[in-house]
Amino acid sequence: QQGRYVYVAQEGQARRRGVTLVRTLRDRVVVTGELRAGERVIVDGAQRVQEGSRIQDRSGGQPAPQRVSSATN
């Protein structure tokens, strides 16, 4: 209904960014859209996240409910 989007971690909260699917390659997805270089995209647990949800980035090698991946140009 609202198109494709991802959530990014921003100041301890989840923020929605609109994206367009470019292609998939095995378990990787390439998108374009409202992402900026360096933004951390929520990957694991994203189905439980909503706009403005409080999140805790625990990706520093520890187990985490939300794994993130960095956006690049």
Side-chain angles (χ1 to χ4, degrees):
Q1 287 179 320
Q2 299 173 342
R4 294 181 191 268
Y5 55 89
V6 296
Y7 286 101
V8 297
Q10 184 180 46
E11 298 176 8
Q13 293 186 333
R15 297 293 178 206
R16 186 168 49 191
R17 301 283 191 264
V19 297
T20 301
L21 179 65
V22 175
R23 69 177 174 189
T24 59
L25 180 62
R26 293 185 286 279
D27 63 342
R28 305 280 179 171
V29 177
V30 177
V31 297
T32 61
E34 301 173 9
L35 296 173
R36 292 184 295 266
E39 284 192 309
R40 298 175 59 78
V41 177
I42 297 171
V43 179
D44 288 339
Q47 66 275 14
R48 297 185 304 267
V49 176
Q50 297 178 14
E51 173 71 23
S53 294
R54 289 195 147 301
I55 60 161
Q56 190 168 33
D57 184 359
R58 300 178 184 170
S59 63
Q62 302 173 346
Q66 291 128 355
R67 183 172 53 98
V68 298
S69 176
S70 295
T72 60
N73 283 342

